[in-house]
């Protein structure tokens, strides 16, 4: 769209933000946003909580865990708020019964997939998956447990990976690729048989690309990646550094 | 090259072939090749040479003749005779019979409803032209559409014809092709791409494969016209490595087209250039999903990403990209040649043109067919398909493969178009049709397809990755006699969850076979669970408790 000439001269100025600002509503609350912000970040800015698992501030979005789904008025489809951009006058509902019900069931599915027994886990009490159960009011699992069995890799001198606790959120992969720049981690296999691997599925300790920075361990939401020497409930994660690292690398988009 | 020069190439080729009194067409598409039509062709050539008839009879390899179940197929032109189940030892008899009465034991009437009830647009050249000869394609009016589009039409004019034709994506979802082309053409970018999706992975489907094997130039021409219309100069054909013959033929076709100057740099001496490259898929069903396909071409793991942004805006390597299915591109040259209005006159109100179906399962005439949109299921199964094998009772037909649904006998008179199919809980899909008789257990069918989706799920999003396993486990338990009454409710709940919360089309449609069989064949589920009996007798029931 071209503006009238007097306005276009201003719009063309290089020092003016080229991004539009728009207003929409979340749960009836009016909010304003840049057009390139996600619904999730606008919601959180305004104190509206939306549960997430694969999302982590500072990392690229995956839209994979499906816990942040929201309803948008006029659309029969549910949208993952972490990758959906707002439109002017859009009406977003984050807490309808339908959405809450789906989120709880998705979380249940995650608990059936692999072995998530909190009482014997290094991350007990400091686990994103565990916190989600309280946040979403999940009290029990009404599907059958699958509990696929995986070997533990403790070949690295400082860290270990227990695939039985992994939720395949791919945070480790992203932090390693996008922030550390090593791309040690990746996924192997398909569907419920997929698994995160180091290098070309070598033991972690033999990885030639791993720098041993430990960022993957800090961003892991569960006890899948942990520091050695930590016993039950002792593994607390330090991930406050992330947004700053991203900033230092020169990526200004939030 | 001018249009006259192009037409001359065709004319010379046609005259050359018509110089032979008899032309013996041997099907050399994958179906017949696997029943040794290659050897039959060789035997016929030898026999012709032995009898010294080289200037009198021409033996030519052609694309799919359609009736795959009766392969190897041989057609005799200009008599219009059709022989089925031909073996090497029949070569001498076939030549002996030329000009006289046909060989009775091999005769397969070309007037069978199987052939008479079809209407061919996409497959018009299949069975007539040699897929490895570009001259043969040109003789049938090939590349004239591209010439017209380049020399007499504007890109906007091309898109207008496509929009007017009402063509919809043949890959499954039925998105209006004109709309997609318009979207890509409106993007501002110096680099754009056209991708042909030939990653056909539905069990029992072989439409795209046959088109690529029988008439590869048609797809290339469609892609080049699309490139011209949207402003793209590069094309990719993403074809699965499991189709070696299709890969070979499309590669040959690209080389021949480049040599003739109808592909590559400065096509028809204009400023328009269009290069096509073949990329092979490594056998992942999910790579038929457009964003996963793009990731695969880029050399990354083939897993889908959330849309929007759609590939038309942010596609291959971040550039605007047009992705269409093989059959969609194959429809383009005739539309440009004959006009959008002509195409729009075929089919139903909202679904135009014809659709190619791969007819498989318990049906007499297994093979490749093409029928106008709006043809009823009954016509397809009983007239074209020749009815259910062994005169058994028709039970259901599955459309759209693992993303589709089972349609029961009560809907046999339903018209085959996008809307009607969606109404009964099925989808058009890419065109695979699997006929099932009363010996098929519908719970078992549902289990088979959910198992397929379970093992083909990429594992990225939770509902598809874990939900499909849960559904499979429930169905497995039911078919083994361990089902509980509460399982029905649990199944419905899981299907609803996977359908509504999955990231891409694979997960969103994976529960369809389960949902549709539960909708129409609930009594079978109940029999398995309550009476521990499989009515069709397929499942081995051994209740553990």
């Amino acid at each position: 769209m071209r503006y009238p000439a007097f306005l276009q001269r201003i719009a063309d100025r290089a020092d003016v933000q080229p991004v539009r600002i728009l207003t929409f509503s979340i749960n009836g609350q009016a909010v304003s946003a840049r057009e390139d912000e996600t619904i999730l970040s606008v919601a959180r800015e305004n104190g509206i909580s939306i549960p997430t698992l694969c999302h982590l501030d500072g990392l690229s979005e995956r839209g994979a865990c499906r816990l942040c789904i929201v309803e948008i008025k006029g659309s029969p489809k549910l949208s993952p708020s972490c990758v959906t951009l707002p439109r002017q006058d859009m009406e977003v509902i984050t807490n309808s019964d339908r959405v809450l019900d789906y989120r709880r069931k998705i979380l249940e599915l995650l608990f059936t997939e692999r072995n998530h027994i909190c009482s014997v886990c290094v991350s007990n009490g400091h686990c994103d998956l565990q916190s989600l159960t309280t946040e979403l009011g999940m009290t029990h699992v009404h599907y059958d447990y699958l509990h696929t069995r995986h070997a533990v890799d403790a070949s690295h001198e400082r860290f270990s990976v227990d695939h039985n606790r992994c939720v395949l959120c791919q945070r480790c992969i992203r932090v390693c690729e996008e922030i550390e720049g090593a791309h040690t981690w990746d996924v192997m296999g398909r569907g419920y048989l997929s698994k995160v691997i180091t290098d070309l599925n070598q033991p972690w300790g033999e990885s030639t690309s791993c720098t041993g920075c430990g960022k993957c361990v800090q961003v892991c939401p569960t006890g899948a990646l942990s520091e050695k020497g930590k016993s039950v409930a002792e593994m607390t994660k330090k991930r406050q550094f992330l947004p700053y690292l991203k900033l230092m690398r020169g990526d200004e988009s939030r | 090259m001018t249009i006259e020069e192009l037409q001359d190439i065709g004319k010379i080729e046609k005259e050359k072939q018509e110089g032979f009194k008899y032309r013996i067409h041997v099907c050399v598409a994958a179906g017949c090749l696997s029943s040794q039509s290659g050897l039959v062709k060789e035997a016929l050539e030898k026999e012709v040479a032995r009898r010294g008839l080289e200037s009198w009879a021409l033996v030519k390899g052609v694309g799919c003749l359609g009736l795959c179940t009766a392969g190897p197929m041989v057609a005799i032109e200009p008599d219009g005779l059709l022989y089925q189940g031909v073996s090497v030892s029949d070569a001498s008899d076939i030549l002996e019979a030329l000009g006289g009465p046909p060989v009775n034991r091999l005769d397969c009437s070309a007037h069978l409803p199987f052939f008479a009830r079809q209407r061919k647009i996409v497959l018009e050249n299949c069975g007539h032209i040699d897929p490895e000869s570009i001259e043969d394609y040109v003789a049938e009016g090939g590349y004239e559409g591209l010439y017209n589009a380049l020399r007499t039409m504007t890109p906007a004019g091309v898109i207008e014809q496509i929009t007017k034709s009402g063509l919809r994506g043949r890959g499954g979802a039925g998105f209006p092709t004109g709309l997609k082309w318009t979207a890509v053409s409106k993007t501002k970018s110096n680099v754009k791409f056209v991708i042909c999706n030939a990653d056909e992975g539905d069990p029992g489907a072989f439409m795209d494969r046959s088109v690529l094997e029988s008439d590869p130039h048609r797809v290339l021409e469609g892609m080049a016209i699309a490139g011209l219309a949207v402003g793209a100069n590069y094309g990719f054909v993403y074809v699965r490595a499991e189709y070696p013959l299709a890969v070979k033929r499309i590669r040959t076709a690209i080389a021949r087209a480049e040599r003739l100057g109808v592909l590559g740099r400065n096509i028809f001496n204009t400023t328009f250039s269009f290069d096509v490259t073949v990329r092979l898929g490594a056998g992942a069903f999910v790579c038929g999903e457009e964003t996963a396909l793009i990731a695969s071409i880029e050399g990354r793991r083939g897993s889908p990403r959330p849309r929007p942004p759609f590939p038309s805006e942010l596609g291959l390597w971040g550039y605007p990209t047009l992705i269409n299915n093989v059959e969609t591109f194959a429809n383009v040259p005739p539309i440009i040649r004959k006009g959008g209005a002509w195409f729009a006159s075929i089919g139903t109100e909202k679904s135009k043109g014809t659709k190619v179906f791969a007819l498989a399962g318990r049906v007499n005439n297994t093979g490749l067919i093409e029928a106008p949109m709006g043809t009823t299921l009954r016509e397809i199964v009983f007239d074209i398909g020749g009815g259910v094998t062994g005169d058994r009772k028709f039970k259901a037909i599955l459309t759209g493969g693992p993303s589709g649904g089972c349609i029961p006998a009560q809907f046999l008179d339903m018209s085959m178009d996008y809307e009607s199919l969606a109404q009964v809980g099925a989808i058009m899909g890419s065109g695979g049709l699997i006929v099932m008789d009363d010996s098929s257990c519908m719970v078992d069918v549902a289990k088979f397809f959910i198992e397929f989706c379970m093992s083909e799920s990429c594992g990225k999003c939770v509902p598809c990755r874990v939900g499909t396993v849960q559904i499979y486990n429930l169905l497995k338990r039911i078919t083994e006699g361990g089902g509980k009454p509460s399982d029905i409710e649990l199944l419905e709940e899981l299907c609803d969850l996977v359908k509504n919360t999955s990231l891409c089309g694979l997960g969103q449609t994976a529960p369809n076979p389960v949902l549709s069989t539960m909708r129409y064949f609930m009594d079978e589920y109940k029999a398995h669970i309550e009476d521990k009996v499989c009515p069709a007798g397929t499942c081995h029931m051994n209740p553990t408790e």
Side-chain angles (χ1 to χ4, degrees), chain A residues 96-161:
Chain A
S96 68
D97 288 345
R98 179 171 176 230
V99 162
L100 294 180
D101 185 51
Y102 279 144
R103 285 188 191 144
R104 209 161 29 235
K105 284 171 182 163
I106 293 169
L107 191 62
E108 279 186 44
L109 284 181
L110 270 175
F111 270 88
T112 65
E113 188 183 20
R114 293 187 184 178
N115 186 334
H116 297 290
I117 313 278
C118 302
S119 57
V120 292
C121 177
V122 286
S123 281
N124 188 11
H126 323 283
C127 170
D128 290 2
L129 190 67
Q130 195 180 32
S131 315
L132 279 168
T133 57
T134 21
E135 194 180 336
L136 302 183
M138 189 200 104
T139 51
H140 65 288
V141 168
H142 74 298
Y143 306 118
D144 291 342
Y145 285 106
L146 307 172
H147 283 187
T148 48
R149 290 174 74 91
H150 299 271
V152 174
D153 178 359
S155 58
H156 194 278
E157 60 179 272
R158 286 163 48 219
F159 313 116
S160 66
V161 49

Side-chain angles (χ1 to χ4, degrees), chain B residues 456-512:
Chain B
E456 290 295 340
S457 163
C458 75
K460 183 170 177 175
C461 76
V462 183
C464 175
R465 182 179 78 224
V466 194
T468 50
V469 183
Q470 293 284 3
I471 298 174
Y472 171 72
N473 283 356
L474 280 174
L475 289 174
K476 186 161 178 274
R477 191 163 80 197
I478 292 172
T479 53
E480 284 169 358
K484 290 179 259 179
S486 60
D487 285 353
I488 297 284
E489 203 185 321
L490 212 51
L491 267 178
E492 279 167 354
E493 181 190 309
L494 278 163
C495 287
D496 174 63
L497 178 72
V498 175
K499 194 179 166 122
N500 286 305
T501 61
S502 290
L503 193 159
C504 80
L506 194 159
Q508 287 160 7
T509 57
N512 282 355

Side-chain angles (χ1 to χ4, degrees), chain B residues 383-398:
Chain B
D383 296 344
I384 300 175
V388 182
T389 44
D391 279 328
R392 293 191 73 116
K393 197 165 162 270
F394 173 88
K395 186 173 194 177
I397 185 162
L398 184 112

